[in-house]
Every structure is written in C-alpha cells, then in structure tokens.
Amino acid sequence: MTAPVNTIGLIAAFSTTTAFVPQLLRVWRLKSARDISLHMFLLFSFGEVMWLVYGLLIRSTPVILANIVTLALALAILALKLRYE
Amino acid sequence: MTAPVNTIGLIAAFSTTTAFVPQLLRVWRLKSARDISLHMFLLFSFGEVMWLVYGLLIRSTPVILANIVTLALALAILALKLRYE
C-alpha cells in the first residue's frame, strides 16, 4: 500500500473517531440528551467492542487504538444519556 | 484469516453502520435535533467520504459498501439537523 493511501485511511479513522468529541461536549454543555438515540449508542458501543476484539484477533494496532478511543467516547455519551433521562 | 475472525469483523461493521438507523428515526419522530452536534455529523460525514475514497483505493468491497450506507445515514441525520434548527 502506498503512503498517500495510508494517509487517507488515517485521516478517515481520525475524523470518524474525533467526531464524537463535539457530541460529548454538546450533551455535557446542554445537560440534555433527549434527541440522542439510546439504541444508537447501545448498538454502536456493542459494535465498537466487536471492532476491538477484531483488531486484537488480527493484531492491528491502528484498529485497536482507534476503536478504544471511539468506544470510550461512545460510552461517555451513553452514560450522560442515561444520567440526563 | 479464519472464518470466525471475519464473522466478528462483519458483526462489528454491521453494528456500527446500522446504529445510525435508530438515531435517524428518533430525530425524524421528535422533529428535533437540538442535542445532536452539527460538528459531529459534519466531521463524521467528511470521515465517511475519506473511508469511501480509502475503500476505492484499496479496492475493498466491504469497506466501500459499509461506508456508503453509513455516509447516507449520517447525511440524512445532518439534513434533518439543518432542517429543524
């Protein structure tokens, strides 16, 4: 794989991971998560655990690291959703 | 790669993709997306476009298909967010 292709993959992983930061901050600031779907974050967190298991099985450090961060952010949003309900 | 490992990867991809369906339905039903972060869905959609480009470059059908579906769902949520603001 060429370097530019890997760079595009890294930009992709970085963007879809850090995208959850402004969502977490918004829920924290508004002290409300009414419009956030509980089912979305339950299913998404389950999927992230599966990605993490997959990353460990194929021994892919980028997959493991990206999904640890995304899982932590998704669980934090889920915790605030449950707290503000 | 063994079949069980691929199955875990497919369950992971299916879960993190379809997770956006209940979020889209919730925003549509509530006719509100106040708690949804515009920056999250802008950054996430950009990341999905990058994943799609990456999938095309590495010629990975699963990466292409999963990210077309996720991009469509994220753009639909983004459109409703802009509509209900």
Side-chain angles (χ1 to χ4, degrees):
Chain A
M1 223 181 298
T2 58
V5 175
N6 275 339
T7 304
I8 287 170
L10 287 173
I11 292 169
F14 184 79
S15 305
T16 50
T17 295
T18 53
F20 288 87
V21 174
Q23 182 61 74
L24 178 61
L25 292 177
R26 183 162 182 90
V27 172
W28 176 261
R29 212 166 47 236
L30 292 178
K31 303 272 175 276
S32 166
R34 193 191 56 134
D35 304 335
I36 300 287
S37 163
L38 179 66
H39 290 116
M40 170 182 167
F41 280 90
L42 281 175
L43 188 54
F44 195 85
S45 298
F46 167 77
E48 283 301 318
V49 171
M50 290 296 103
W51 275 124
L52 195 53
V53 171
Y54 180 74
L56 288 166
L57 288 172
I58 66 165
R59 293 187 173 76
S60 164
T61 306
V63 173
I64 294 167
L65 292 183
N67 288 293
I68 283 177
V69 175
T70 313
L71 177 61
L73 290 167
L75 287 177
I77 294 167
L78 193 58
L80 289 184
K81 166 75 181 170
L82 293 171
R83 182 174 165 185
Y84 296 141
E85 283 297 90
Chain B
M1 224 181 295
T2 59
V5 174
N6 275 338
T7 304
I8 288 170
L10 287 173
I11 292 170
F14 183 80
S15 305
T16 51
T17 295
T18 53
F20 288 87
V21 174
Q23 183 61 74
L24 178 61
L25 292 177
R26 183 164 182 89
V27 172
W28 176 261
R29 211 166 49 236
L30 291 177
K31 304 271 176 274
S32 166
R34 191 191 57 134
D35 305 335
I36 301 286
S37 163
L38 179 67
H39 290 115
M40 171 182 168
F41 281 89
L42 282 173
L43 188 53
F44 195 85
S45 298
F46 166 77
E48 284 302 317
V49 171
M50 289 297 103
W51 275 124
L52 195 52
V53 171
Y54 180 74
L56 289 166
L57 288 171
I58 66 164
R59 293 187 171 77
S60 164
T61 306
V63 172
I64 294 167
L65 291 183
N67 288 294
I68 283 178
V69 176
T70 313
L71 177 61
L73 289 167
L75 287 178
I77 293 167
L78 193 58
L80 290 183
K81 166 76 181 171
L82 293 170
R83 181 174 165 188
Y84 297 141
E85 283 298 89

